[in-house]
Amino acid sequence: MNFETEISLLIKSRYSLVLVDTIDEDFVAGQLFSVAAAMGLCVYCWSLTKGLRAGKNENSFYQTGPPVNMLKTVADLTEDKAPALFIFSDFHKFLQDAVVARLFKDIVAAINNTRITIVIIGADQPLPPDIEPHAARITGGYPDEKEILAEINRTLAEFSGSSARLHISLEPVDARRLVKSLKGLSIRQIRNVINTAILKDGRLDKTDLAEVEKYKKGLFDRESVLEYFGAEQPADIGGFANLKKWVYERKAAFFADDSPLPPPKGLLLLGVQGCGKSLAAKVIAGELGIPLYRLDLNRLYSKYLGETEENLRKALKTIERLAPVCLWIDEIEKIFASSSGEMDGGVSKRVLGSMLTWMQERKDRSFIAATSNDINNLAPELLRKGRFDEIFFADLPQVPERAEILRIHLLKRDLDPKKFDLELMARGCEGFSGAELEQAVISALYSASGSNEPISTRHILEQLRLTRPLSVIKAEDINFLRDWAKDRAILPV
Ligand code: ATP
C-alpha cells in the first residue's frame, strides 16, 4: 500500500490523530494536500515559525504561532465539525507542556468520530503515554517506484532545459535497477544522488548504478541497523536444488495480489558452517529479484535502556516501508540466544517477542531468510510450525555438488573449468564445505603463481590434501547437528 492510499484509509476510518514519521516534510505535505483535495477536505497547516495557515496560503491568520494560541483557534475552527485536515509540523515537541497537552487532548476527544483529522509530521516523534493510544502511526516521505521514476524524469528535464550537456544512455533493465536502488531514499536524497551522478561527467548511464548503490550503502551504514546488500544479487551456488525449486515455485505468489496461494514469508536455513547458508540468502533475493538487507546484530543491541527494542522496531518499520525486500537474519540464534535467561534484564526476551509478533502479523511483502549453525542456542519458539514456511538443512556437499562448487569458484576467478578434472577433484575432498573448497582454489592460485606455473588440477588437489576440514576437526559437533536435523525430518537443501 503506498502512502497516499494508507493515509486516505486512516482518514476515512475517522482516525482523529495520525503521526507521520518522515525526514521529508515538504514531500509528505504535498501528498497530504492532494489526498485532502481528492476527499474534499479543507486543509490547515501549522508550524511554530509560520503559524496557522489555511491551505497553501503563506499568510498566517491570527497570532497563532505559539501552540497554545494555535490550539485555541483550532478548537474554534473545529466546533462546527466541518470535514478538515490539520497538518502540524513538529508538534510532538510541545506536548511536554501541561497546558498544550490538555488543550490538545480536548480537541482530539472533541473531533473523535468526525471527518476531522490532525496529522503531525516530523522525524522520530515520541508521544506522551496518555496520547499515544489515540494515534495511528505511519511512515511517509519515501516515494514509490512510480514517483521515483517521475523524480528522475523531472531532474533530467531540468538538466535538458539548462545549458549543460547531458547524455543519457540507460537500457530499460538498467533504468529499472536504478529505480529499485533508489527505493528507500527521500525525494531530496534522490535528487541529490542523480544530480551528482550527472554533474560528474554530464552522463547518466550504467556506470552510475554502482555510485547509487554506494551512496545507499553508505546511508544505511550511517543510520540503520540494517545493512544494504544491493538491489539485485546475482549469486551462484552449487547444490541447493530443493531450496531453489522451493523459491522458484513460490515466486509468482510472492508478487501476485490475487493469488489463491498465500505468498511465501520466509525460511530458516540451518546447517554446517561454511556450507553456503549466507550465500543462499543472496541467491533467494536474486531469484526473487528483490533487494537484500541484513539485520546487523552488533548494531541492534544497545547498552541504553529501551534502545534495543526501539532499534528493532525502527528496523522492522523500515523493512515494511522498503518491501518487497529480503531480510537476512544471519546467525539468528545470536539475537535470541539469551532470551531464556535474565542476564540482560530481559531485553533478548522482549526482542524475541517483538520479532515473533512481527513475523506472525506482518502483511508486507518481505521475505525473511534466517540462518543458523548453532541449534543448541536457537530459541525453540523459532522452530514452531508457522514461524517460517520451511526449515532447510545445509549439509556438507556430496560429489556432484562439490564439482559444481569448484566450477563456480574457478569461473569466478576467470579460469576455464574445462581445463580442470572436476570429477577427480570432487572425489578427493570428502567432508569439505563449500567455503573450504573455495579456499583450496584460492590457495592453489597462490602456490601456482609462486612457482610460476599456470594453475592446474594438480595444484588444487595438493591444497585439498593439505587441508584438514572442519568435518574432521569438529566431527562430533557436525554429527550432532546432522542427527538433530534427521530426527526432526528437516528438508535437505
Ligand atoms: P557460516 O555458518 O559459517 O556463516 P555459511 O553456511 O553461511 O557459513 P557461507 O558464508 O555462505 O557459509 O559460505 C562462505 C563462502 O563459501 C561463500 O561466500 C562461498 O564463496 C563459498 N560457498 C559455500 N558454499 C557454497 C556453495 N554451495 N556454492 C558456492 N560457493 C559456496
Side-chain angles (χ1 to χ4, degrees):
M1 209 188 290
N2 73 10
F3 176 78
E4 293 191 13
T5 317
E6 201 176 353
I7 191 98
S8 304
L9 197 64
L10 290 173
I11 294 171
K12 278 187 202 145
S13 314
R14 305 205 164 190
Y15 270 88
S16 33
L17 179 58
V18 179
L19 264 92
V20 180
D21 189 3
T22 182
I23 54 163
D24 198 340
E25 285 180 18
D26 291 347
F27 183 65
V28 169
Q31 288 179 308
L32 289 171
F33 269 103
S34 71
V35 165
M39 297 176 80
L41 302 172
C42 282
V43 184
Y44 299 91
C45 303
W46 175 85
S47 74
L48 185 65
T49 46
K50 290 189 177 163
L52 187 67
R53 290 155 292 141
K56 290 183 176 164
N57 191 347
E58 279 304 305
N59 300 318
S60 67
F61 56 98
Y62 312 120
Q63 294 299 310
T64 54
V68 171
N69 296 359
M70 176 274 280
L71 289 172
K72 286 182 179 159
T73 308
V74 170
D76 291 343
L77 283 170
T78 51
E79 216 164 32
D80 63 357
K81 311 285 186 275
L85 181 71
F86 288 85
I87 307 172
F88 296 172
S89 300
D90 287 337
F91 180 72
H92 61 290
K93 291 179 183 161
F94 303 97
L95 283 168
Q96 299 309 324
D97 181 293
V99 180
V100 173
R102 184 68 259 164
L103 280 167
F104 185 65
K105 279 200 292 192
D106 289 346
I107 292 173
V108 172
I111 62 173
N112 183 31
N113 212 18
T114 66
R115 289 192 59 214
I116 303 171
T117 302
I118 298 175
V119 179
I120 304 180
I121 56 178
D124 277 339
Q125 312 178 61
L127 283 184
D130 51 343
I131 296 179
E132 181 73 52
H134 303 289
R137 282 182 177 271
I138 60 171
T139 305
Y142 296 96
D144 60 22
E145 291 189 8
K146 231 166 84 194
E147 290 160 334
I148 292 173
L149 191 61
E151 187 55 35
I152 296 175
N153 286 332
R154 216 172 2 249
T155 311
L156 293 178
E158 272 169 29
F159 267 97
S160 309
S162 73
S163 53
R165 254 190 36 240
L166 171 64
H167 181 79
I168 305 165
S169 129
L170 273 178
E171 296 287 325
V173 57
D174 297 325
R176 268 199 303 277
R177 260 194 77 189
L178 180 66
V179 170
K180 263 194 200 174
S181 306
L182 291 167
K183 197 146 178 232
L185 306 186
S186 71
I187 282 282
R188 208 173 294 169
Q189 289 167 328
I190 291 171
R191 212 172 293 152
N192 286 348
V193 71
I194 296 290
N195 277 339
T196 313
I198 296 173
L199 285 171
K200 204 167 35 74
D201 53 4
R203 301 172 64 91
L204 186 66
D205 58 23
K206 205 175 163 174
T207 58
D208 292 312
L209 285 172
E211 282 297 314
V212 173
E213 289 279 11
K214 205 167 120 195
Y215 174 84
K216 191 166 159 186
K217 276 194 176 94
L219 205 68
F220 271 82
D221 273 359
R222 274 202 311 277
E223 294 179 359
S224 176
V225 298
L226 294 169
E227 190 182 352
Y228 177 57
F229 269 80
E232 269 170 23
Q233 282 295 320
D236 216 353
I237 196 163
F240 285 72
N242 284 339
L243 182 132
K244 282 191 227 166
K245 183 164 170 276
W246 188 96
V247 175
Y248 177 76
E249 285 171 352
R250 284 156 184 79
K251 185 172 176 174
F254 182 73
F255 290 103
D257 285 325
D258 50 2
S259 167
L261 300 166
K265 295 260 184 183
L267 45 82
L268 174 60
L269 275 158
L270 303 171
V272 180
Q273 250 169 292
C275 279
K277 298 183 296 298
S278 309
L279 186 58
K282 294 172 192 165
V283 170
I284 293 167
E287 190 61 44
L288 292 173
I290 52 179
L292 181 68
Y293 290 82
R294 186 172 74 107
L295 192 64
D296 186 329
L297 303 191
N298 297 328
R299 288 187 179 197
L300 180 70
Y301 280 92
S302 158
K303 59 179 188 287
Y304 299 109
L305 192 69
E307 207 166 283
T308 304
E309 292 93 319
E310 183 57 17
N311 285 346
L312 181 68
R313 191 189 67 77
K314 275 194 200 155
L316 299 179
K317 272 262 158 249
T318 308
I319 289 297
E320 284 171 11
R321 161 165 75 73
L322 293 169
V325 295
C326 180
L327 174 64
W328 168 24
I329 310 178
D330 195 18
E331 302 188 272
I332 194 168
E333 77 280 358
K334 286 201 179 141
I335 312 183
F336 310 120
S338 47
S339 63
S340 50
E342 295 297 332
M343 299 281 286
D344 59 359
V347 171
S348 302
K349 213 170 202 163
R350 288 198 295 277
V351 166
L352 175 65
S354 310
M355 189 77 202
L356 291 175
T357 311
W358 180 77
M359 281 164 70
Q360 204 88 34
E361 292 178 357
R362 73 208 163 94
K363 300 261 182 299
D364 63 86
R365 241 164 253 275
S366 53
F367 187 92
I368 301 181
T371 59
S372 170
N373 56 26
D374 183 2
I375 41 128
N376 283 322
N377 277 321
L378 202 59
E381 292 95 317
L382 282 166
L383 296 172
R384 236 173 252 157
K385 268 263 166 278
R387 298 287 186 225
F388 291 98
D389 299 320
E390 197 57 83
I391 302 178
F392 281 98
F393 182 69
D395 204 344
L396 291 164
Q398 296 303 306
V399 176
E401 290 88 40
R402 295 205 291 269
E404 178 63 11
I405 295 170
L406 286 164
R407 196 185 67 83
I408 290 170
H409 289 291
L410 289 170
L411 275 174
K412 219 168 148 184
R413 281 142 193 107
D414 292 329
L415 298 165
D416 180 1
K418 287 199 199 84
K419 295 188 175 152
F420 294 81
D421 191 337
L422 293 178
E423 174 82 18
L424 181 71
M425 293 191 291
R427 290 199 176 281
C429 52
E430 175 76 32
F432 276 61
S433 67
E436 287 162 339
L437 294 177
E438 178 180 21
Q439 213 43 55
V441 172
I442 296 170
S443 304
L445 272 167
Y446 276 115
S447 87
S449 120
S451 46
N452 265 333
E453 292 167 352
I455 181 173
S456 68
T457 300
R458 180 174 58 80
H459 295 103
I460 296 178
L461 281 174
E462 174 69 7
Q463 292 306 319
L464 292 172
R465 199 178 54 73
L466 290 173
T467 310
R468 250 167 71 82
L470 217 61
S471 61
V472 172
I473 300 166
K474 287 195 166 182
E476 250 176 50
D477 293 352
I478 292 175
N479 286 335
F480 170 75
L481 199 59
R482 279 179 172 160
D483 291 343
W484 183 93
K486 209 157 102 197
D487 287 348
R488 284 157 187 79
I490 295 184
L491 284 181
V493 291

